[in-house]
């Protein structure tokens, strides 16, 4: 499977590697969605400010987030990155911070009313999506373009809609092209554990046919 | 639609003869709402009301594969024990008159809640899906077509969007098969990428129900079953909804 995907990406001109990811400066003209906007509650703003302070000494970096991937020249018409496809405040409001030395990515996430599952709680699938992209970002920043192979999530407590949570992801181990990443989702004060997850990402090998 | 509903009421004496496309059944009285039988759950879930928009109906964005498989299952709803589940904008519309148990219920004045898998209403841009449920065999089939707003890897559906459809199909199956309400765990093994705009078929089965938990498995594959996109399993917690108090 991954071979055919790699082949397709090569055909389209996308070579995996840090230089061609969506975080590069080519995106300067696109809107960066990982910045405060009117829909952000005070909880997420507070966390954002705290992390921005940590960025000052260079150990942490805020990751920009765009709507369109520019990996490839021919893009699927009208395609948008999934988590940026909803209107401000209604869907996924999030910002990620990366600590390169510790191989960690922290995502501060506020789930809006259009992510509903049961009344008043965030849909399990939306939570799975956030875990997938946070852990995935961790993998990609460490080793280049990677794809999700396995995702195992334990939901401990439901996450109320419009609340703010902190998703911590870190690389547990690397075996060749396999990245084992674990993730947990906690409340802002860290007292409530909402979910725990383990995942496996496979780094694409550009040389395999 | 209303005419079919009236005919359905007339045929109520026949247990297997559920109506075709619209799953319209008369509301049972409140006393029976506490019973956990599948028939009761289905009748409250599939409302008789017709002013709510059902998103699980064909539209111009559906690819030919999805349309023809939909027709096949629609035929089966007439005789084979399958039911097409309606899909409303919010889960609250599916369980009117019921609420989460106190302690879990969240009160809020926010009105514009929308179920995640219907968050992108523009036809064909996000999730296009329909779920068929088989009450006696406790299994479901979901026809899923991801649109361009669900992109992950260029040209393919985001893993998270498939996780959401799996969770959603597990969720509806768990609820109708045994009042499963909250996801306890979700385990997904991704095998192949799903091209945007193509059909993926999810087959969900309830493996067992024990200790207040429903265990389900799912295989997501192409229509001809030649490509397996993913295999997953889900565990849901059984919890009865409560009647909303009449004031």
């Amino acid at each position: 499977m991954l071979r055919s995907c790699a082949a397709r990406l090569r055909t389209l001109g996308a070579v995996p590697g840090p230089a061609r990811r969506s975080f590069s400066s080519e995106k300067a003209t696109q809107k960066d969605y990982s910045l405060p906007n009117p829909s952000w509650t005070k909880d997420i703003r507070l966390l954002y400010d705290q992390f921005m302070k940590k960025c000052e000494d260079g150990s942490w970096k805020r990751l920009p987030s765009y709507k369109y991937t520019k990996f490839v020249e021919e893009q699927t018409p009208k395609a948008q990155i999934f988590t940026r496809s909803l209107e401000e405040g209604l869907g996924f409001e999030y910002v990620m911070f990366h600590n390169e030395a510790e191989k960690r990515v922290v995502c501060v996430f506020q789930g809006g009313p259009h992510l509903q599952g049961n009344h008043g709680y965030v849909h399990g699938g939306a939570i799975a999506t956030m875990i997938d992209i946070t852990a995935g970002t961790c993998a990609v920043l460490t080793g280049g373009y990677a794809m999700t192979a396995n995702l195992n999530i334990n939901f401990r407590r439901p996450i109320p809609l419009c609340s703010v949570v902190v998703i911590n992801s870190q690389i547990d181990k690397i075996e060749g092209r396999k990245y084992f990443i674990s993730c947990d989702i906690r409340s802002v004060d860290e007292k409530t554990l909402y979910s725990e997850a383990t995942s496996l990402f496979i780094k694409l090998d550009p040389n395999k046919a | 639609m209303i005419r079919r509903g009236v005919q359905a009421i007339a045929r109520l004496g026949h247990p297997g003869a559920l109506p075709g496309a619209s799953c319209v059944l008369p509301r049972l009285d409140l006393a029976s709402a506490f019973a956990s039988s599948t028939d009761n759950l289905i009748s409250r879930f599939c409302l008789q009301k017709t002013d709510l928009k059902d998103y699980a109906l064909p539209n111009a964005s559906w690819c030919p594969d999805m349309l023809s498989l939909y027709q096949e299952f629609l035929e089966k709803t007439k005789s084979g024990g399958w039911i097409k589940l309606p899909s409303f904008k919010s889960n609250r519309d599916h369980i009117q008159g019921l609420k989460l148990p106190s302690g879990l219920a969240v009160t809020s004045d926010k009105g514009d809640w929308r179920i995640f898998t219907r968050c992108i209403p523009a036809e064909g841009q996000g999730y296009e899906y329909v779920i068929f449920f088989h009450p006696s065999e406790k299994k479901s089939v979901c026809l899923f077509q991801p649109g361009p707003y669900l992109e992950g890897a260029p040209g393919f559906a985001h893993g998270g969007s498939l996780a959401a459809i799996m969770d959603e199909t597990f969720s509806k199956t768990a609820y109708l098969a045994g009042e499963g309400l909250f996801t306890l765990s979700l385990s997904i093994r991704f095998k192949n990428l799903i091209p945007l705009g193509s059909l993926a078929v999810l087959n969900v089965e309830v493996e067992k129900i024990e200790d207040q938990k429903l265990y389900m498995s799912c295989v997501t594959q192409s229509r001809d079953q030649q490509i397996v996109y993913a295999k997953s399993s889900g565990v849901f917690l059984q919890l009865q909804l409560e009647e909303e108090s009449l004031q």
Side-chain angles (χ1 to χ4, degrees):
Chain A
M1 171 282 282
L2 290 168
R3 267 180 235 131
S4 63
C5 167
R8 192 200 145 106
L9 287 172
R10 261 202 312 286
T11 319
L12 296 172
V15 175
R20 292 288 298 265
R21 282 195 319 273
S22 57
F23 311 120
S24 75
S25 58
E26 294 167 8
K27 303 306 157 301
T29 50
Q30 276 203 60
K31 177 178 167 173
D32 179 353
Y33 284 87
S34 281
L35 290 169
N37 66 57
S39 75
W40 283 26
T41 59
K42 75 167 174 28
D43 273 343
I44 187 172
R45 280 176 199 273
L46 205 63
L47 275 169
Y48 175 82
D49 290 338
Q50 283 173 11
F51 272 97
M52 286 309 285
K53 270 219 149 46
K54 292 192 196 187
C55 290
E56 280 166 12
D57 68 0
S59 56
W60 287 87
K61 271 210 183 67
R62 184 192 73 87
L63 301 175
S65 171
Y66 306 106
K67 208 177 205 181
Y68 306 100
T69 31
K70 286 237 171 117
F71 280 112
V72 298
E73 264 132 43
E74 315 156 21
Q75 202 183 339
T76 312
K78 297 186 204 165
Q80 293 179 175
I81 290 178
F82 174 37
T83 47
R84 294 298 179 195
S85 286
L86 284 85
E87 282 170 41
E88 201 175 270
L90 295 179
F92 300 93
E93 290 296 335
Y94 63 95
V95 50
M96 294 198 218
F97 295 90
H98 177 228
N99 186 319
E100 191 163 352
E102 296 175 25
K103 294 196 184 0
R104 289 210 287 142
V105 169
V106 173
C107 176
V108 183
F109 166 54
Q110 177 187 297
H114 286 197
L115 302 188
Q116 186 210 89
N118 279 309
H119 313 184
Y121 295 105
V122 180
H123 196 284
I127 299 171
T129 300
M130 286 311 298
I131 290 174
D132 184 36
I133 65 167
T134 308
T137 301
C138 208
V140 166
L141 288 178
T142 307
Y145 202 62
M147 312 224 77
T148 325
N150 295 350
L151 203 52
N152 306 293
I153 307 170
N154 286 313
F155 299 91
R156 304 278 177 217
R157 291 194 63 80
I159 299 177
L161 274 179
C162 305
S163 69
V164 178
V165 294
V166 181
I167 308 172
N168 286 290
S169 74
Q170 62 188 54
I171 299 196
D172 291 336
K173 69 176 168 176
I174 302 177
E175 278 175 12
R177 290 192 293 131
K178 293 188 189 172
Y179 289 77
F180 295 86
I181 299 174
S182 64
C183 216
D184 65 27
I185 305 186
R186 290 179 186 272
S187 56
V188 173
D189 62 9
E190 293 185 13
K191 291 193 179 143
T192 311
L193 174 66
Y194 290 107
S195 320
E196 285 175 302
T198 55
S199 60
L200 170 63
F201 283 76
I202 311 281
K203 185 181 145 159
L204 291 189
D205 183 349
N207 299 317
K208 281 235 167 90
Chain B
M1 181 84 126
I2 297 172
R3 209 174 298 129
R4 258 185 265 142
V6 168
Q7 286 168 356
I9 294 168
R11 289 205 309 264
L12 195 56
H14 304 268
L18 289 163
S22 53
C23 181
V24 172
L25 291 168
R27 266 190 101 119
L28 299 180
D29 61 25
L30 288 180
S32 62
F34 287 111
S36 57
S37 77
T38 303
D39 283 343
N40 289 337
L41 290 167
I42 292 171
S43 66
R44 285 200 81 149
F45 182 89
C46 304
L47 298 179
Q48 195 178 9
K49 265 183 159 184
T50 55
D51 51 350
L52 283 169
K53 179 174 161 136
D54 180 356
Y55 286 87
L57 289 171
N59 62 56
S61 73
W62 284 27
C63 65
D65 264 345
M66 185 146 168
L67 281 168
S68 68
L69 195 55
Y70 174 81
Q71 288 302 325
E72 272 183 44
F73 272 96
L74 216 54
E75 284 304 307
K76 293 186 194 187
T77 62
K78 293 174 185 159
S79 52
W82 287 89
I83 305 173
K84 184 196 95 73
L85 300 185
S87 174
F88 304 129
K89 203 181 82 162
S90 166
N91 264 340
R92 304 169 118 183
D93 297 327
H94 282 290
I95 48 176
Q96 288 187 13
L98 295 169
K99 63 180 169 66
L100 291 177
S102 36
L104 278 171
V106 169
T107 44
S108 166
D109 56 0
K110 283 191 196 283
D112 187 23
W113 285 352
R114 199 177 286 187
I115 191 170
F116 177 44
T117 44
R118 294 293 177 199
C119 64
I120 300 169
E123 249 176 43
Q125 298 305 306
Y127 295 96
E128 290 294 338
Y129 70 97
V130 53
I131 302 175
F132 290 90
F133 176 62
H134 198 296
S136 56
E137 293 184 22
K138 291 199 189 335
K139 64 183 186 185
S140 296
V141 171
C142 173
L143 313 186
F144 169 46
Q145 178 182 297
Y149 285 14
L150 303 188
E151 191 179 67
F156 298 99
H158 197 286
S161 71
L162 180 59
I165 281 290
M166 284 170 175
D167 186 46
E168 184 55 22
T169 311
F170 279 143
S171 167
K172 297 299 183 273
T173 309
Y175 178 69
L176 294 174
E179 294 182 289
L181 214 52
F182 284 98
T183 322
L184 288 174
S185 70
L186 198 56
S187 262
I188 308 172
R189 291 161 302 290
F190 296 96
K191 309 282 182 198
N192 279 294
L193 296 167
I194 304 174
L196 292 175
S198 72
L199 173 68
V201 184
L202 288 80
N203 284 284
V204 167
E205 285 184 13
V206 177
E207 302 283 334
K208 64 177 177 185
I209 303 178
E210 74 181 22
D211 292 339
Q212 222 184 332
K213 294 183 222 172
L214 282 107
Y215 295 78
M216 290 164 288
S217 64
C218 172
V219 178
T220 306
Q221 46 197 346
S222 56
R223 183 185 180 169
D224 58 10
Q225 301 183 349
Q226 293 303 303
I227 310 176
V228 175
Y229 292 120
K231 291 188 180 175
S232 54
S233 55
V235 183
F236 273 67
L237 179 69
Q238 274 182 319
L239 214 55
Q240 267 196 348
L241 292 172
E242 294 176 353
E243 289 293 326
E244 264 176 357
S245 50
L246 304 163
Q247 289 177 352

